[in-house]
Amino acid sequence: MGLPGIDYEGFFNAIMSASLSAILVIDNQLRVLHASRSFLATARTTGSDMIGRRICDVFPVAFWEGGFDDRIREVIGSGARVLRERISHRMPGMPQRIYTYSIGPLPLCCGGRAAILVLDELTDLPAAIGEARQAQLRDESAAEGGEHAAAERRALEAQLRQAEKLAALGMVIGEIAHELRNPLGISSAAAQLLKNRTVSAPMQQECVEKVIAGIARASRVVESLLCFARPGRGRETTQVDVVELLRNALMFASGEAAAGVTVSWNVEGPVDAPAASFCTDGVQHLLELVMINMIANAFQAMPAGGQLSLAIRREGEDIAVEIGDTGCGIPETDLPRIFDPFFTTRSDTRRSGLGLSVSHSIVQQHRGGIAVRSRPGEGTLFVIRLRASAAPQG
């Protein structure tokens, strides 16, 4: 139930006008009912020309080859959601374009069903990488062995590395833009409604809350990016008890645990000297953030219950912290990407997809490392290795 007096039609229209994402409302005949200002600007058309058109006439053929229409029908028919999927196409003579899209169900006032499609373009340079790889292969097959060939090969390798760096940078920039667009778009729409002096008091309160929430969301993304870029070891470095660190992290992350989750502990090391065995030199709140992220991820992977396993042991000069779950596991194809910024398979909009990236960066700054083992349906085990302190501080 909504708050009394809220003009939801006005709110909807404000979002469609202010959102930086391309948004379409599509009926069960796959016809366009509404289009956001951003979509109309990108398509270089007007609302009167777009309304009523079938989306097969709106999007390139490459969209349909990926089952795009079936996904929309599925959402309308079942009420399921499609979140952050990617699709690409290439127009003749143009570079490849990559998009991310989400589709959600939308009930109509007449009792019918529709879908709302949110589309964002991601910057990418796969063509540059592909062309560099092809050039490298041609060079290797046509002119092996000579000094000239070796020099050209080194130049092509440098070109390839640069193209890969640019592609990665472009993808991250695109993801950052996506993560910031949504909260900023909602905040902008709510702020525009606040300019209307006839808006009711409950609507004003809801708009203020949406502005505050949007700014907070954008701020969390920025803070995570700063933490990812420079975790900042330095004067804050102290000797940290890893056992106590893990206990605190479990307490902070316990709110993510579903009913039926149990926790097992296993600490291996000399009982008479725990401080000497399980202390590392580092920034306590950053290392605590790593453990919180890892434990929260484990809890989120077990929405129907399961077991969280926590273990700490000495391995030579290192402290190994194991955080495991009996949840859904990670597909093998996703494992190489789990530490990429913004990569996530979850639909929770509170999550930015930066948790593992930030954790990986922090651990590396502490001269450590993170490894992962996972099987779909069997669970996941993260192993965090930190350098043990030389001696306990008095």
Side-chain angles (χ1 to χ4, degrees):
M1 293 291 291
L3 295 173
I6 293 180
D7 179 8
Y8 282 105
E9 182 178 356
F11 188 64
F12 172 82
N13 290 333
I15 290 177
M16 295 293 276
S17 297
S19 175
L20 299 178
S21 299
I23 302 176
L24 287 180
V25 177
I26 303 164
D27 68 10
N28 59 4
Q29 301 297 316
L30 299 188
R31 295 173 302 192
V32 176
L33 297 181
H34 296 279
S36 69
R37 180 179 296 175
S38 176
F39 183 91
L40 295 174
T42 301
R44 297 181 180 179
T45 187
T46 63
S48 59
D49 290 336
M50 182 61 63
I51 304 307
R53 291 179 62 184
R54 292 181 58 84
I55 56 172
C56 61
D57 300 324
V58 174
F59 292 102
V61 174
F63 277 63
W64 313 118
E65 293 174 349
F68 193 56
D69 51 343
D70 292 334
R71 304 292 272 161
I72 297 173
R73 289 191 181 96
E74 178 186 353
V75 169
I76 295 175
S78 67
R81 288 175 169 81
V82 174
L83 298 171
R84 301 290 300 279
E85 294 200 358
R86 292 186 183 183
I87 196 166
S88 63
H89 81 98
R90 187 174 193 168
M91 298 290 288
M94 299 294 289
Q96 187 180 39
R97 312 307 303 175
I98 295 182
Y99 301 87
T100 180
Y101 69 89
S102 298
I103 311 171
L106 183 69
L108 300 177
C109 59
C110 59
R113 289 182 173 182
I116 185 164
L117 168 68
V118 181
L119 187 73
D120 287 288
E121 183 174 353
L122 298 180
T123 303
D124 200 2
L125 296 176
I129 294 177
E131 289 168 5
R133 288 193 187 277
Q134 290 297 322
Q136 184 179 27
L137 291 173
R138 286 195 302 270
D139 179 72
E140 289 175 351
S141 62
E144 292 182 353
E147 289 292 333
H148 179 69
E152 288 191 355
R153 194 155 47 242
R154 284 193 294 269
L156 286 170
E157 287 172 354
Q159 179 184 354
L160 174 62
R161 285 194 297 270
Q162 182 68 10
E164 289 175 336
K165 289 178 182 178
L166 290 173
L169 177 62
M171 186 65 72
V172 170
I173 290 173
E175 295 283 9
I176 292 172
H178 178 88
E179 291 293 331
L180 293 177
R181 274 176 175 171
N182 288 340
L184 293 179
I186 292 173
S187 298
S188 176
Q192 288 189 34
L193 283 175
L194 286 173
K195 292 172 63 177
N196 187 348
R197 298 181 181 274
T198 63
V199 172
S200 65
M203 184 60 172
Q204 288 180 355
Q205 179 63 28
E206 183 169 337
C207 287
V208 169
E209 291 173 357
K210 288 187 180 297
V211 170
I212 293 173
I215 294 172
R217 166 67 176 170
S219 178
R220 285 195 297 271
V221 172
V222 172
E223 288 298 321
S224 294
L225 284 169
L226 290 174
C227 196
F228 171 73
R230 51 175 191 275
R233 295 186 75 236
R235 289 180 297 176
E236 297 178 75
T237 297
T238 59
Q239 194 171 85
V240 179
D241 184 336
V242 177
V243 177
E244 189 65 24
L245 192 79
L246 198 59
R247 287 198 183 102
N248 290 339
L250 176 61
M251 177 183 66
F252 286 123
S254 60
E256 300 286 346
V261 172
T262 59
V263 180
S264 68
W265 276 85
N266 183 23
V267 179
E268 301 176 8
V271 178
D272 57 344
S277 298
F278 301 118
C279 280
T280 187
D281 297 324
V283 183
Q284 171 135 358
H285 75 275
L286 292 179
L287 291 175
E288 196 169 81
L289 176 62
V290 172
M291 305 302 174
I292 291 171
N293 282 339
M294 294 294 182
I295 294 175
N297 278 349
F299 281 144
Q300 292 160 18
M302 301 183 288
Q307 184 176 61
L308 172 72
S309 58
L310 302 175
I312 305 175
R313 64 177 184 275
R314 281 294 297 266
E315 292 185 347
E317 299 300 317
D318 292 338
I319 301 169
V321 180
E322 294 187 350
I323 300 175
D325 64 69
T326 57
C328 56
I330 303 170
E332 185 177 355
T333 54
D334 287 344
L335 280 174
R337 303 179 58 200
I338 61 172
F339 295 116
D340 290 352
F342 300 108
F343 178 77
T344 181
T345 58
R346 298 195 177 100
S347 59
D348 189 344
T349 56
R350 296 173 300 167
R351 309 293 170 193
S352 65
L354 281 168
L356 287 179
S357 297
V358 169
S359 298
H360 189 260
S361 178
I362 291 172
V363 171
Q364 283 191 323
Q365 290 289 327
H366 284 77
R367 298 181 301 163
I370 303 179
V372 58
R373 297 195 300 270
S374 185
R375 287 180 179 271
E378 297 182 13
T380 302
L381 177 68
F382 283 94
V383 182
I384 306 161
R385 287 184 170 81
L386 298 169
R387 187 70 59 84
S389 297
Q393 294 177 350

